[in-house]
Amino acid sequence: MAYVDLVRFNPWWANAKAIEGDADILRFNEQGIKFYPQFDVGEGIFVLRGPRQVGKTTLAKLKIRELLAGNKARNVFYYSLDLLKTPKEIHDIVLEYLEEVAEEGKRFLFLDEATGIPDWATAIKLLVDRGDIKRSDFVFVTGSSSIDLKKGAERLPGRGIEGNEFYYLPCSFHDFLKLKGITLPALNPIDSKEFWEQARENAPKILELNKEFRLFLNNGGFLVSINNGKSELLMEKYARWLEGDFTKWGKNPSVAKEVVQAVIKKAGSQFSYHALVKETTVATHNTVIDYLEMLEEELFLKTMNKISLPFKIERKKEKKAFFLDPLLCAIGERWAGGIEFPEASKVEQIVAAHISRLASAYFYNDGRQEIDCVAKIKGKTLGIEVKWSDNIKAGDTYAVKNTNVH
């Protein structure tokens, strides 16, 4: 690895102010609405997982800008692993930095998009075990697919990674509103009295909230789409990234499209794996399971298990699926050939995605009664029935009221 290639990624070694001219920093500064999560820089290895375009690279660059204000510039290292293919390449690049550039003191290493390299963790493990990376150093590893990022993290036990694995997800609707300057209380959904009191208190905001929810429903919670909308270019690029990941892992992108298309056709209804097989060209339900699991590892969509009551997870029975964000839903619709969810189904998916941030989300359906979303929160079972209509009837809550889900 030529030294000049390291310098291209780290221009602040020559001039700390060069970070201000970084392309990701410039794009961030140009955004009308800005957001990034804060985190403390400690010791050890930090792993950050998140969908593409959520802002992981920008987050790394913003943290680098903060670090440059109080640390030696040559002790801050960034490298994009997009074009690398082997753990040895990672090892050699990091080792060259540590031996030829880094100075005495704590070092901060940012390794971006590790998921493109199978067994990436073996390089980090060797560098740590040998003492090249010290326990006082900070190593920040990101990736868009949790498949190999997760496997890699599991290969680093006892090396400062415990408790340092995080997800960076698109903004929730609550965070979306905060970015727009609209403040709502963070409610405990289990405390029904407090919930309804706050709902009544904030009722005058309903027109404003409806307007903003429409925007969220259309564009989602990615900062790029909040600021610029869901462009055709953005959705096309994301689809190409998905196809590339499937190809990289030895899967057929066309089959992935078929599985997504089959899920969309179910429009939020429960399905069996065998039912999805009939909607695709695959031969067995095991293949469908394989592709759904990969779509979940890609942080693209998520499957829900059915429960029976009292709370028992029925892993072998029907499933439901939801996209993790409205933008991802739009990308899925486009990628799968333009088949669209009914709007009510999209709203139900938003609720399921938000509940899944608090706890594992499930659903209930005994053939007569159905509850769209069920979760265990603080030891209590919470059932949520989603209605997207101007005419809500008493019977619409029958299932929630007539089961032991409250």
Side-chain angles (χ1 to χ4, degrees):
M1 170 61 63
Y3 177 80
V4 68
D5 290 324
L6 298 184
V7 173
R8 286 194 180 100
F9 278 113
N10 300 271
W12 48 85
W13 293 345
N15 178 3
K17 293 183 179 179
I19 186 64
E20 299 300 338
D22 179 87
D24 293 298
I25 295 291
L26 290 173
R27 278 192 292 269
F28 179 81
N29 290 338
E30 290 170 357
Q31 298 289 350
I33 296 175
K34 298 179 175 65
F35 167 81
Y36 66 98
Q38 298 288 339
F39 66 94
D40 294 327
V41 174
E43 299 176 351
I45 303 167
F46 288 67
V47 175
L48 184 71
R49 306 167 185 158
R52 294 183 186 273
Q53 291 291 301
V54 77
K56 300 182 299 298
T57 298
T58 302
L59 174 61
K61 299 290 182 65
L62 290 167
K63 182 54 66 174
I64 286 170
R65 184 170 67 176
E66 290 179 19
L67 291 170
L68 289 172
N71 296 276
K72 298 175 183 177
R74 292 169 70 90
N75 279 358
V76 181
F77 173 68
Y78 171 87
Y79 203 91
S80 172
L81 309 181
D82 275 322
L83 297 180
L84 305 189
K85 299 185 182 300
T86 67
K88 185 179 185 305
E89 291 177 284
I90 300 176
H91 170 274
D92 292 349
I93 287 169
V94 174
L95 185 61
E96 180 172 357
Y97 160 70
L98 293 171
E99 291 184 340
E100 303 297 332
V101 180
E103 300 178 1
E104 289 297 317
K106 184 181 182 71
R107 285 84 60 89
F108 306 88
L109 290 77
F110 294 80
L111 304 177
D112 205 7
E113 286 301 337
T115 50
I117 305 170
D119 298 322
W120 63 269
T122 58
I124 306 301
K125 179 179 182 296
L126 176 59
L127 291 163
V128 171
D129 289 347
R130 203 168 55 201
D132 301 300
I133 293 177
K134 305 182 186 306
R135 292 196 68 87
S136 60
D137 291 336
F138 172 79
V139 182
F140 188 75
V141 183
T142 76
S144 299
S145 167
S146 65
I147 298 174
D148 201 64
L149 203 59
K150 181 178 180 181
K151 290 179 181 177
E154 291 169 351
R155 298 188 187 105
L156 293 168
R159 292 174 178 81
I161 197 172
E162 294 83 357
N164 293 338
E165 299 175 73
F166 304 97
Y167 281 98
Y168 184 7
L169 298 175
C171 292
S172 66
F173 182 55
H174 189 270
D175 290 334
F176 177 90
L177 291 174
K178 285 171 65 176
L179 292 177
K180 299 293 190 75
I182 303 170
T183 302
L184 291 177
L187 300 179
N188 176 7
I190 297 299
D191 189 336
S192 58
K193 181 180 179 181
E194 177 194 4
F195 188 90
W196 288 114
E197 285 177 353
Q198 289 290 345
R200 283 191 290 268
E201 183 177 328
N202 287 276
K205 299 179 182 178
I206 189 65
L207 293 179
E208 184 179 26
L209 293 177
N210 281 344
K211 176 185 174 182
E212 295 299 335
F213 185 75
R214 281 285 178 187
L215 288 173
F216 184 78
L217 181 62
N218 186 61
N219 296 325
F222 287 75
L223 196 61
V224 63
S225 61
I226 292 173
N227 278 288
N228 307 311
K230 56 177 185 188
S231 70
E232 287 293 315
L233 178 60
L234 172 61
M235 293 193 289
E236 177 66 21
K237 285 171 63 178
Y238 207 106
R240 298 290 81 77
W241 284 324
L242 277 176
E243 291 173 2
D245 283 348
F246 274 94
T247 300
K248 178 183 69 182
W249 293 103
K251 305 297 182 185
N252 187 336
S254 296
V255 173
K257 286 184 186 181
E258 290 179 7
V259 172
V260 171
Q261 186 179 66
V263 167
I264 293 174
K265 285 181 179 178
K266 296 302 177 183
S269 300
Q270 65 176 0
F271 58 80
S272 67
Y273 292 131
H274 291 287
L276 294 192
V277 168
K278 294 178 182 178
E279 299 282 350
T280 65
T281 59
V282 303
T284 70
H285 72 282
N286 287 328
T287 302
V288 167
I289 293 172
D290 194 24
Y291 276 80
L292 281 174
E293 287 179 347
M294 184 164 178
L295 286 163
E296 190 161 338
E297 295 286 3
E298 287 285 322
L299 303 175
F300 191 63
L301 58 72
K302 194 174 184 68
T303 56
M304 279 198 295
N305 285 306
K306 177 187 279 191
I307 64 161
S308 57
L309 298 175
F311 200 97
K312 179 185 177 183
I313 303 170
E314 304 287 356
R315 301 188 187 279
K316 295 184 178 181
K317 293 193 176 181
E318 291 86 353
K319 313 290 180 184
K320 290 173 73 173
F322 58 89
F323 289 89
L324 294 180
D325 183 84
L327 176 63
L328 298 180
C329 180
I331 291 168
E333 291 171 330
R334 187 182 187 280
W335 191 42
I339 301 174
E340 294 188 6
F341 278 107
E343 189 171 77
S345 296
K346 293 180 182 180
V347 174
E348 183 180 327
Q349 291 192 55
I350 290 175
V351 173
H354 279 58
I355 291 297
S356 71
R357 296 178 183 230
L358 301 175
S360 295
Y362 306 93
F363 72 98
Y364 174 76
N365 189 323
D366 64 4
R368 295 176 295 106
Q369 300 178 128
E370 179 181 4
I371 302 174
D372 294 326
C373 194
V374 181
K376 279 264 190 181
I377 300 177
K378 296 183 178 180
K380 295 186 178 181
T381 304
L382 176 69
I384 299 173
E385 185 66 20
V386 182
K387 296 299 177 185
W388 187 242
S389 171
D390 291 330
N391 299 308
I392 306 298
K393 304 173 184 175
D396 291 334
T397 59
Y398 179 82
V400 174
K401 289 181 177 178
N402 288 274
T403 64
N404 62 349
V405 175
H406 303 293

